[in-house]
Amino acid sequence: MAFPETRPKGASFARPEEGEVVEVSPPGFCWWRVEGAKAYRLKVRDATGNPVYQSPTLEDPVHVPTKAFPPGSYTWIAEALDGDGVTLASWGPRHFSIAEGCPEQPWVDPEGLLASVPKEHPRLLFLKRDLSAIRETLGATRREAFESLKRSADGALKLKPPPEPTYDQIEDRVKRRMGYVDSFRAMRRYHTRGMPSCALMYLLTGEREYGEVARAILVDAARWEPEGISSIMAPYGDEIGLGLVNAGAHTYDWIYDLLSDDERELVRKMLIARADQMLRRLQRRDYLYRPESSHDGRLPGYLIEHAIALAEQPGAKVWMDYAMRTVLTVFPHWAGRDGGWAEGISYAQGYNTIYLQPFEALRLATGFDIWQRPFYRKVRYFFFYTVSPVGEIKPFGDSEIHPMRGSESGMRALMLYHALRYRDPAVRWYVDQLGDPEQERRSISPLPGLLLPDDLAPAPPTHLPNDKAFFGVGIAALHSNILDPRDDLMILLKSSPYGGVSHSHADQNSFAIMKGGDALAIPAGYRHPSHGSAFHVKYTQHTIAHNAILVNDEGQINRDATANGHLTTFETMPHIGYACGDATAAYRNTLTRCRRHVVMIRPSVICVVDDLEAPRAAEYQWLLHAFEQFGLNEAEQQLVSTRAGNSMTVHLATPGGFAFEQTDEWPMDPNEGVPESHRKELKKHWHFTATTREKAAARRIAAFMTVEGDSDVPPVAQSSPADGIVQFRATFPDGAATVLVRLTPDAGPELIADREAILEARFEPERGEPEVLTAR
């Protein structure tokens, strides 16, 4: 009997990681289950080997110590026990250290947390004691978000309670699936938008007409069978139930004084039943060990809200206990310790908004401040660097890739909250850049927009570098100028340790490019007509839909967390940014080496170099996707991507050259398996493929890109100063950029002094010393 040697399918990442410098004391510990074990025990020792902590016997493989540890070095061991407490197996020791000056957050008994909850309602987010002060700011520091709330609530005034869905009665499986999709999308109008908007509008203004709409919808939903079609454990889908557990607790809390005694009892019974159901689902799926399911990740926060709203109920302690053990150990599963999110930018925004309200409710009601924990202190900079404030796409993972400008209200609210919570003028400045500055009224989501008064002056981020890497999730962002989003050139590189599972795709070492927010290189495809459709799982999730590499027309392994990537190197200098991703594991046996080097030389040069090797001679395909048709020049091995006045010229080089082709046809029918009622013509994307003319086992590919807006593209000189070496040189008014790439391993030692180097990038200013980057 032994602990697993590698992370089991769907399991958590064992934490603290080996050698990790932890920025909260104590850390939350999590490890893997041992088959046949009945219990576990955690032991912590200091650098001298002296024991400093031992947990009680544990049912689950997680624990938060009841005391903080001083700064210093430690080891930890997990033990698997039998029913008599005898050790069956041990895991470790693993090493970690506690950083100086980090916040202390030992375990607090859930009963103690609930004892701190105010006795009166409202008690979720807008506490009764704070209402007068909040109302005074609705025309000032909360005006914008309040106006958005009023528009939303006014739009819901005519809503009547919806009938309980009946899509489960459809016999045809495919039509039933689409009936479910139509139902949950319709229910969102009532349960996740209309009902809570009206409830909050009533709470903040006292205008009864809003409260009556919320009351009618909530009381009607309370009469639905919790274990029926709206259950989060319903056999055909959980979104209808998730909408109710999202909004039910705080709607009940905000209109508490409007409800009769009988209505309060009715709604309480529903909330208790649904909270018990959430707990049952998490326990059955063993979330404290296997937290990979995306939808399950919504439930811990909802449990916290239910526990606060119903703090007097016996079940509240159990809900709070499970939720807190989760959020302090394995949650968020998709979060990197440096602030990134692995499921892609759209899902990062969605889930960081979902848990924001419960965590802020917990802070206000109990004083327990989850925002002190390291990930939450850093995540705002993931969005700052990966989301162009004026961008039309949010790449990677399940995101509807089409022009998205005008949908920034949620991002504005999320980033405004983080700017105000951490008193960060640079992020407050970023909020002002989001959207169209000429638009008189830019929208902001009422929640979380209303949570904090907007009383912080913005300041440009002159102290920040142009580039940032998030190693925990494998995403790097390189920018030409973060101070000017409307002219900024940005490239995002993804090579994720999480692999292509959940809402992530088989897109390791892929990239996306925007200039002034206009997309010049995009991920292709759609989730049409819904998640899990044939088009989604046969095309959009796969490497062929991304700016990546195919080998003999085959891509990476999909739906396997071990088929992954990682960032190996990152560097940022005043004029040069650099990142390298290794996606060898993503191709399993197809490739024995797959490294992609990405260099930005500011202001307008990008160089992407692929270093590839297969077990035997192979054809390689270099892929690029865009909204608009490419201009191709195969004779010169060049192509051009254009968008809204921006132009990207790509110079390709590899031994033997490439054959070019492009198409705007999908490789399969997007409506495959879709009922006639839901079929539609999708807006097409353009797909470029460069196929090597010669087969080879080892292959290096250089792509030198110059990107410009309304001004002329800088002149580019391409040459081969030695066999196996390609040189690109671009000139600017204030200097020149040169990149030397070694296309064959032993080429040009007199040109690139480092014999192991694949490329050398150089920026030579008109005055001053050059910047030089050498990449292996």
Side-chain angles (χ1 to χ4, degrees):
M1 184 174 291
F3 281 87
E5 294 183 2
T6 58
R7 185 170 76 95
K9 184 177 180 180
S12 64
F13 290 88
R15 292 174 178 148
E17 297 177 7
E18 175 62 27
E20 182 177 352
V21 179
V22 178
E23 298 176 74
V24 65
S25 182
F29 293 85
C30 54
W31 55 93
W32 303 321
R33 288 198 186 276
V34 172
E35 187 175 353
K38 301 299 182 183
Y40 300 91
R41 183 165 50 224
L42 169 72
K43 293 181 177 179
V44 181
R45 296 179 181 272
D46 64 18
T48 65
N50 291 320
V52 296
Y53 185 81
Q54 179 172 306
S55 75
T57 301
L58 308 166
E59 291 184 10
D60 296 302
V62 301
H63 185 64
V64 182
T66 54
K67 69 173 187 178
F69 304 148
S73 299
Y74 297 88
T75 60
W76 66 280
I77 294 175
E79 295 179 339
L81 312 176
D82 67 12
D84 297 322
V86 176
T87 301
L88 300 173
S90 62
W91 194 60
R94 289 168 67 92
H95 302 79
F96 71 97
S97 59
I98 301 287
E100 294 280 351
C102 66
E104 295 184 353
Q105 240 179 32
W107 176 255
V108 178
D109 186 81
E111 197 167 355
L113 289 176
L114 293 171
S116 303
V117 173
K119 305 303 181 188
E120 69 276 6
H121 294 273
R123 57 176 71 162
L124 283 171
L125 296 173
F126 303 93
L127 278 63
K128 187 173 183 178
R129 66 177 184 240
D130 301 328
L131 276 179
S132 295
I134 291 171
R135 286 167 177 156
E136 289 177 0
T137 66
L138 297 180
T141 54
R142 286 183 169 90
R143 178 185 59 81
E144 188 180 26
F146 179 68
E147 290 177 350
S148 291
L149 173 66
K150 188 176 188 307
R151 289 193 295 273
S152 177
D154 285 348
L157 279 175
K158 294 182 180 179
L159 290 180
K160 304 297 181 184
E164 192 168 4
T166 57
Y167 69 85
D168 57 322
Q169 298 174 20
I170 301 173
E171 293 186 3
D172 181 84
R173 182 184 61 82
V174 174
K175 292 180 179 179
R176 185 172 60 237
R177 169 67 182 177
M178 296 316 304
Y180 158 71
V181 171
D182 292 343
S183 291
F184 82 68
R185 288 174 177 171
M187 289 302 107
R188 284 177 175 171
R189 182 186 179 201
Y190 297 90
H191 296 150
T192 58
R193 293 194 292 270
M195 180 177 75
S197 293
C198 286
L200 184 55
M201 192 67 181
Y202 166 72
L203 178 67
L204 296 180
T205 67
E207 296 181 34
R208 192 177 180 111
E209 63 174 336
Y210 296 106
E212 291 295 348
V213 172
R215 173 185 178 181
I217 297 173
L218 178 64
V219 170
D220 183 77
R223 296 191 175 100
W224 293 7
E225 171 51 56
E227 300 298 332
I229 195 68
S230 63
S231 167
I232 60 167
M233 301 173 78
Y236 308 119
D238 60 5
E239 286 284 8
I240 296 172
L242 287 172
L244 284 169
V245 296
N246 172 11
H250 49 256
T251 299
Y252 164 78
D253 183 59
W254 294 342
I255 64 167
Y256 185 84
D257 64 332
L258 268 185
L259 298 171
S260 68
D261 289 343
D262 288 344
E263 289 171 336
R264 289 174 189 167
E265 182 62 22
L266 177 67
V267 174
R268 270 196 299 269
K269 286 182 177 178
M270 176 194 74
L271 296 176
I272 292 169
R274 294 191 183 276
D276 287 341
Q277 190 179 89
M278 286 190 280
L279 180 63
R280 191 164 69 249
R281 170 167 157 169
L282 290 170
Q283 290 173 332
R284 284 185 182 179
R285 297 188 177 188
D286 201 3
Y287 189 81
L288 289 171
Y289 173 44
R290 299 185 185 275
E292 200 172 79
S293 171
S294 185
H295 283 199
D296 288 350
R298 305 184 201 179
L299 303 184
Y302 297 161
L303 274 177
I304 288 173
E305 284 196 303
H306 280 66
I308 294 171
L310 303 172
E312 302 82 4
Q313 298 298 318
K317 179 182 175 181
V318 180
W319 308 330
M320 184 67 85
D321 175 79
Y322 194 95
M324 293 301 291
R325 285 191 294 135
T326 299
V327 301
L328 299 179
T329 58
V330 300
F331 184 89
H333 174 75
W334 302 105
R337 65 176 183 265
D338 42 13
W341 193 273
E343 289 181 293
I345 296 166
S346 289
Y347 272 79
Q349 178 183 338
Y351 274 79
N352 278 271
T353 301
I354 284 170
Y355 69 63
L356 191 155
Q357 294 178 47
F359 289 0
E360 181 66 357
L362 180 71
R363 184 185 73 85
L364 290 168
T366 72
F368 194 98
D369 190 0
I370 286 179
W371 304 117
Q372 294 187 50
R373 302 187 76 80
F375 167 75
Y376 307 106
R377 299 201 309 265
K378 299 175 183 179
V379 69
R380 65 191 185 277
Y381 281 99
F382 178 69
F383 296 113
F384 184 96
Y385 278 98
T386 63
V387 178
S388 166
V390 294
E392 60 179 337
I393 61 171
K394 295 174 183 172
F396 309 132
D398 285 333
S399 172
E400 307 308 328
I401 298 299
H402 54 76
M404 295 177 69
R405 287 194 182 99
S407 63
E408 74 283 343
S409 62
M411 182 60 72
R412 291 191 72 222
L414 176 64
M415 290 295 275
L416 178 62
Y417 175 86
H418 281 272
L420 299 174
R421 167 59 51 222
Y422 296 102
R423 309 306 293 172
D424 189 333
V427 175
R428 183 62 190 83
W429 170 90
Y430 174 93
V431 173
D432 284 346
Q433 311 309 305
L434 281 159
D436 184 353
E438 298 180 1
Q439 187 177 345
E440 182 177 348
R441 186 182 68 197
R442 286 183 284 174
S443 61
I444 185 169
S445 296
L447 287 176
L450 278 162
L451 293 178
L452 297 171
D454 184 6
D455 58 0
L456 180 68
T462 54
H463 61 295
L464 294 177
N466 276 304
D467 314 306
K468 183 78 171 173
F470 301 88
F471 282 86
V473 300
I475 294 178
L478 311 180
H479 293 260
S480 67
N481 186 5
I482 58 172
L483 293 172
D484 187 4
R486 284 155 187 82
D487 192 52
D488 179 42
L489 169 65
M490 66 182 292
I491 180 169
L492 300 176
L493 171 68
K494 176 189 176 185
S495 194
S496 175
Y498 286 77
V501 295
S502 186
H503 291 289
S504 294
H505 294 174
D507 58 355
Q508 314 317 321
N509 277 10
S510 69
F511 61 80
I513 297 173
M514 283 181 277
K515 169 68 173 177
D518 297 313
L520 294 164
I522 66 170
Y526 299 88
R527 280 195 297 177
H528 166 69
S530 66
H531 185 88
S533 68
F535 189 60
H536 178 224
V537 302
K538 292 182 181 181
Y539 174 70
T540 305
Q541 290 180 348
H542 289 267
T543 314
I544 191 175
H546 299 275
N547 303 311
I549 297 291
L550 302 181
V551 185
N552 294 325
D553 292 311
E554 293 186 11
Q556 300 164 17
I557 306 299
N558 192 28
R559 306 297 94 191
D560 185 341
T562 65
N564 55 24
H566 62 280
L567 296 180
T568 65
T569 318
F570 168 76
E571 192 169 347
T572 182
M573 299 185 249
H575 289 92
I576 299 177
Y578 167 70
C580 179
D582 189 323
T584 306
Y587 290 87
R588 200 64 52 84
N589 299 321
T590 306
L591 289 177
T592 56
R593 184 171 64 249
C594 181
R595 291 166 71 89
R596 171 164 271 182
H597 304 264
V598 175
V599 179
M600 174 176 285
I601 305 179
R602 292 176 260 277
S604 56
V605 166
I606 294 170
C607 187
V608 177
V609 178
D610 291 293
D611 184 20
L612 310 166
E613 187 164 1
R616 58 193 62 83
E619 276 186 345
Y620 293 88
Q621 287 79 31
W622 191 93
L623 306 180
L624 192 67
H625 304 269
F627 286 129
E628 299 183 17
Q629 185 173 8
F630 296 100
L632 303 186
N633 185 341
E634 184 175 339
E636 297 294 329
Q637 294 284 280
Q638 294 178 16
L639 65 144
V640 179
S641 176
T642 57
R643 184 74 169 167
N646 296 298
S647 173
M648 177 172 76
T649 303
V650 183
H651 306 255
L652 287 171
T654 196
F658 289 102
F660 283 15
E661 64 176 313
Q662 71 170 319
T663 181
D664 65 347
E665 297 296 323
W666 304 110
M668 63 174 289
D669 180 4
N671 289 305
E672 179 183 317
V674 178
E676 191 67 36
S677 58
H678 289 77
R679 295 186 173 212
K680 68 177 182 179
E681 187 78 17
L682 299 181
K683 184 174 178 58
K684 293 183 176 180
H685 300 154
W686 284 88
H687 318 284
F688 168 75
T689 303
T691 301
T692 54
R693 291 173 178 154
E694 301 173 356
K695 288 187 175 184
R699 170 73 60 181
R700 289 180 182 172
I701 300 168
F704 187 83
M705 311 172 189
T706 53
V707 185
E708 285 298 316
D710 296 329
S711 58
D712 293 334
V713 175
V716 175
Q718 179 177 340
S719 61
S720 296
D723 287 344
I725 292 283
V726 63
Q727 175 178 286
F728 301 98
R729 183 173 176 84
T731 55
F732 312 107
D734 61 344
T738 303
V739 180
L740 285 164
V741 180
R742 187 174 268 141
L743 294 178
T744 55
D746 298 323
E750 72 282 4
L751 296 172
I752 305 177
D754 183 346
R755 295 185 65 86
E756 300 297 319
I758 289 176
L759 67 89
E760 180 181 280
R762 179 183 295 264
F763 179 80
E764 299 165 338
E766 290 237 318
R767 296 179 182 147
E769 294 296 315
E771 286 180 22
V772 180
L773 172 97
T774 302
R776 292 190 172 201

